[in-house]
Amino acid sequence: MGSVFHRWSDGFAGSEMGKKSVKKKGLEEEAREYWRLSEYDERVQDQSHWLGSARWDRGRWLAYGDFHGGLVLRLLREHAPAGYTTRLVDKAALDWGCGGGANLRALCGIFGRVTGVDVSVATVAQCEKQLRLLGCENFATLCFPADLPGTVLERLGPATFDFVFSAAVFQHFPSRDYTLRVLEVMEKLMKPGACGLVQVRYDDGSDKLRQKESDYAKNVIYMTSFKAGEFAEQLKTAGLTMLSYGRDLDNPEDRHEYFFFRKEG
């Protein structure tokens, strides 16, 4: 919790077809099947942050979203272009991997319109249910196939969002190649001048945190992680400019790293 952000100065291209090797395609299909289990599997519901599932009592669920909402506001005030925060009510945000809706609820309190996208029909339904019970009205949702992230761009259209967000999601991606494809989709969804915040898991050199190459269901919690500089390079490759980053802002044992970035223009 005591860690600080550092300024970076301190220290869907084409079709979805033909982009995946046989190995990667297999992992992506495994991921698609795994998250479908949220319809009835309480363990997967917990991993998807369903309110009332194992870890997620109401207090923790709300606090989790409030933490990220507060972080979004702080980073926007510190790093967004002048005037960006003056009319957030007029801006649209995207939550990639909205899960049970804890972060989507927080974003609804910041931005005028928020869209949550996820790969599980059951989880999207749970998200909608909880946000409606909480009185949120300025949101929409979209379910897309896990192995076809470009579907989000096809459905929502380019240059749609002023802000993109994702937390506790990229670490479950089936590969680093898949991560780059998602970032490329995000870049096209962002308006020129839009900002974003993404949390990933960093590789601390341990076997637990190393990148996994097989058996998605077994390795889902620690599937994808990044060594120093690797995710920053992916942002650059996707056409995004990193403005700041910070490690261990939540629970240091989780090895989370947060990246704040923008799309130039």
Side-chain angles (χ1 to χ4, degrees):
M1 293 295 287
S3 180
V4 297
F5 259 78
H6 308 278
R7 290 187 180 276
W8 180 231
S9 56
D10 296 334
F12 172 2
S15 169
E16 286 287 334
M17 298 299 292
K19 283 195 171 185
K20 304 183 282 291
S21 67
V22 173
K23 184 177 182 180
K24 293 296 188 297
K25 182 178 180 181
L27 282 174
E28 291 167 19
E29 290 176 345
E30 287 180 32
R32 181 184 62 197
E33 296 304 314
Y34 182 85
W35 294 107
R36 283 178 177 173
L37 299 177
S38 62
E39 183 176 353
Y40 59 85
D41 191 316
E42 294 181 358
R43 179 173 58 102
V44 181
Q45 292 171 1
D46 175 62
Q47 293 166 355
S48 302
H49 301 185
W50 284 34
L51 177 58
S53 63
R55 294 174 296 162
W56 300 102
D57 60 71
R58 182 178 178 84
R60 182 175 184 178
W61 190 84
L62 292 172
Y64 180 77
D66 289 343
F67 167 79
H68 286 116
L71 186 60
V72 165
L73 283 173
R74 175 165 72 85
L75 293 172
L76 285 174
R77 289 165 181 155
E78 292 176 355
H79 301 290
Y84 184 100
T85 60
T86 56
R87 290 289 296 175
L88 292 177
V89 69
D90 294 331
K91 289 181 166 53
L94 172 73
D95 183 1
W96 190 290
C98 59
N103 291 317
L104 193 66
R105 176 198 66 86
L107 293 174
C108 283
I110 299 172
F111 298 96
R113 294 183 296 109
V114 185
T115 301
V117 301
D118 205 280
V119 299
S120 163
V121 172
T123 292
V124 167
Q126 171 69 193
C127 175
E128 293 177 350
K129 173 185 174 182
Q130 297 302 336
L131 264 64
R132 290 195 183 101
L133 288 173
L134 290 166
C136 297
E137 298 180 351
N138 58 326
F139 75 95
T141 59
L142 171 67
C143 187
F144 68 96
D147 52 337
L148 295 172
T151 304
V152 178
L153 178 62
E154 295 168 4
R155 294 286 301 275
L156 300 180
T160 298
F161 296 100
D162 303 283
F163 187 81
V164 297
F165 172 87
S166 187
V169 176
F170 277 49
Q171 62 210 35
H172 302 309
F173 283 172
S175 67
R176 292 180 185 146
D177 289 345
Y178 182 92
T179 301
L180 179 57
R181 286 166 54 207
V182 170
L183 289 176
E184 290 172 343
V185 171
M186 281 185 162
E187 189 275 338
K188 288 177 171 58
L189 288 164
M190 297 168 74
K191 298 177 183 178
C195 294
L197 177 64
V198 166
Q199 173 251 302
V200 302
R201 206 187 294 278
Y202 65 86
D203 184 346
D204 64 359
S206 67
D207 185 65
K208 181 174 74 171
L209 271 296
R210 67 174 172 79
Q211 178 67 37
K212 309 302 188 298
E213 303 293 343
S214 63
D215 200 342
Y216 184 84
K218 176 183 177 181
N219 294 307
V220 59
I221 301 302
Y222 299 101
M223 191 71 197
T224 291
S225 58
F226 293 87
K227 296 178 181 178
E230 288 182 334
F231 190 74
E233 187 61 30
Q234 285 210 345
L235 286 171
K236 182 179 179 180
T237 300
L240 298 165
T241 300
M242 189 165 74
L243 303 178
S244 64
Y245 67 97
R247 282 187 173 184
D248 301 328
L249 303 182
D250 40 19
N251 181 1
E253 294 181 0
D254 288 334
R255 303 297 192 267
H256 287 165
E257 190 163 23
Y258 289 81
F259 292 82
F260 187 78
F261 53 89
R262 70 173 300 207
K263 178 177 179 176
E264 299 299 335

